[in-house]
């Protein structure tokens, strides 16, 4: 599809359309499952409002409560909530389309929603039904944040569960709007020896924010560090990561639904890149809106859109954005197809999709950097929208799960027959 013609984008082999100005809409299956609620259109309708709140969002270092209310009204927090609990349970493709539209409005809003819905999915698959029944209360809002890699964590095994004696977790995106926090902890035996990793689900009242999120980009995500001290977590709210990584989810009540059988990696990695594509599309829109009204300094070009260099810049940047989206759509198609067929994904396939997510994020960054350079002195305004997008995308690429060199190395190791040097992939069988 074209990244320039944003008003009437051409379709792709994998995207459904709702017939309104060429905008993408959910598939027929998604519409039937969600009572015809169009999350893509709902996200697109928020674009002007989100753009108008950009300065407020940055100043707060979290999303304004009005934005949370808008997301709730649009049912965007319900996208990956299981249908049996009143959720929309949309396809991954519709999720991608929705995140693209939302990120065209504001990167921080889309990133926050992406991370929180990711932990909604992870929570959905990680715990048995009686726990899920307590979390996903019918008619109630459910917002979950999390951080599966602790900076430090000390736990103690006790009767019926664990006590988190002390811990620090960074980057809890959406913490200030969540009711639950899913945190990675070491699992220990009675002697205190580490025997594995777990994901502990805590009510937000048991978690203390450090309020240290002050960054150059994605400022509105509220991705604060958090601490926990002397908190008991029952066994039923602790998911062994080793079991999750083998696709042996405790949510047996959801096993007949393909969306809740996909592997942890690459499911989580691909979701991170979805909003980045929308940020890049917003950058294209910004540039093309201005190139017909300004010249190029110290040249005879009175209009930037007359210059061949501008055409080259647009051509290269949009090619990379389209390529990034194509990589994502292909990975999503293979992920969903394999899950529908109940085919167990190999470690090599998981590592490859993780690599592809990192590669797509790298392409997005290169494209946005190119577009920012083409913006001239308009880019240097600290509060300018192109400046904000550039910083948002750069910070997004710094997420530990998207470090390109790390992801390339992990895949390369597996491709060379070595064990993956990460706890997020199962050992080759």
């Amino acid at each position: 599809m074209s990244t320039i013609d944003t008003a009437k984008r051409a379709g792709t082999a994998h995207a459904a359309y709702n017939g309104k100005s060429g905008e993408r809409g959910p598939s027929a299956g998604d519409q039937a499952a969600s009572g015809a609620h169009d999350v893509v259109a709902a996200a697109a309708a928020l674009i002007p409002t989100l753009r108008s709140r950009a300065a407020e969002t940055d100043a707060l270092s979290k999303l304004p409560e009005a934005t949370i209310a808008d997301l709730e009204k649009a049912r965007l927090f319900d996208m990956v909530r299981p249908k049996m609990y009143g959720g929309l349970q949309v396809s991954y493709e519709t999720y991608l389309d929705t995140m693209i539209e939302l990120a065209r409005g504001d990167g921080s809003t889309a990133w926050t929603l992406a991370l929180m819905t990711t932990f909604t999915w992870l929570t959905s698959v990680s715990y048995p039904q009686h726990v899920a029944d307590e979390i996903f209360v019918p008619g109630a809002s459910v917002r979950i944040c999390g951080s599966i890699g602790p900076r430090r964590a000390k736990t103690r095994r006790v009767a019926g569960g664990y006590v988190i004696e002390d811990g620090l977790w960074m980057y809890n995106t959406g913490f200030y709007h969540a009711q639950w926090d899913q945190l990675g902890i070491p699992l220990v035996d009675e002697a205190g020896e580490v025997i594995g990793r777990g994901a502990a689900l805590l009510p937000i009242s048991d978690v203390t924010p450090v309020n240290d999120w002050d960054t150059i980009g994605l400022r509105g995500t509220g991705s604060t560090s958090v601490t926990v001290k002397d908190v008991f977590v029952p066994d039923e709210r602790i998911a062994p990561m080793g079991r999750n990584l083998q696709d042996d989810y405790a949510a047996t009540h959801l096993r007949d639904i393909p969306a809740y059988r996909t592997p942890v990696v690459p499911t989580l990695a691909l979701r991170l890149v979805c909003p980045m594509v929308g940020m890049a599309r917003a950058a294209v829109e910004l540039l093309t809106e201005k190139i017909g009204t300004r010249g190029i300094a110290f040249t005879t070009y009175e209009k930037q859109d007359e210059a061949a260099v501008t055409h080259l810049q647009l051509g290269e940047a949009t090619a990379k954005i389209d390529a990034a989206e194509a990589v994502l759509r292909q990975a999503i198609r293979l992920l969903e197809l394999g899950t529908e067929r109940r085919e167990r994904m190999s470690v090599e396939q998981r590592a490859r999709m993780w690599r592809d997510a990192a590669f797509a994020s790298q392409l997005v960054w290169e494209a946005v950097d190119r577009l920012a350079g083409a913006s001239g002195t308009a880019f240097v305004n600290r509060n300018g929208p192109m400046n904000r997008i550039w910083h948002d995308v750069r910070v997004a690429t710094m997420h530990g799960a998207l470090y390109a060199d790390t992801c390339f190395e992990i895949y390369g190791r597996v491709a060379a027959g070595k064990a993956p040097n990460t706890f997020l992939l199962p050992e080759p069988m």
Side-chain angles (χ1 to χ4, degrees), residues 345-358:
M345 186 175 291
S346 70
V347 175
E348 187 274 339
Q349 289 172 318
R350 297 169 200 238
R352 187 192 327 146
M353 289 189 183
W354 193 0
R355 175 206 67 187
D356 289 349

Side-chain angles (χ1 to χ4, degrees), residues 238-280:
I238 297 175
M241 287 300 295
R243 181 176 172 180
N244 276 359
L245 294 175
Q246 293 292 346
D247 313 332
D248 182 18
Y249 300 129
T252 55
H253 57 293
L254 298 176
R255 281 185 179 171
D256 289 336
I257 306 172
Y260 303 101
R261 294 200 307 266
T262 57
V264 171
V265 175
T267 300
L268 306 188
L270 292 171
R271 288 192 189 277
L272 290 174
V273 191
C274 295
M276 295 178 65
V277 175
M279 297 179 209

Side-chain angles (χ1 to χ4, degrees), residues 155-167:
T155 58
R156 183 176 76 254
R157 182 68 171 140
V158 296
Y162 283 83
V163 170
I164 303 176
E165 295 182 346
D166 181 58

Side-chain angles (χ1 to χ4, degrees), residues 218-256:
L218 295 178
R219 288 186 55 81
T221 62
S223 303
T224 179
S225 300
V226 302
T227 61
V228 174
K229 190 172 182 62
D230 296 326
V231 171
F232 171 75
V233 185
D235 282 329
E236 64 183 8
R237 283 198 273 112
I238 297 175
M241 287 300 295
R243 181 176 172 180
N244 276 359
L245 294 175
Q246 293 292 346
D247 313 332
D248 182 18
Y249 300 129
T252 55
H253 57 293
L254 298 176
R255 281 185 179 171
D256 289 336

Side-chain angles (χ1 to χ4, degrees), residues 286-295 302-306 310:
L286 281 172
L287 182 66
T288 54
E289 284 172 1
K290 301 295 184 181
I291 56 177
T293 61
R294 65 188 180 206
E302 296 182 358
K303 292 184 178 181
Q304 188 179 3
D305 63 358
E306 296 173 346
T310 303

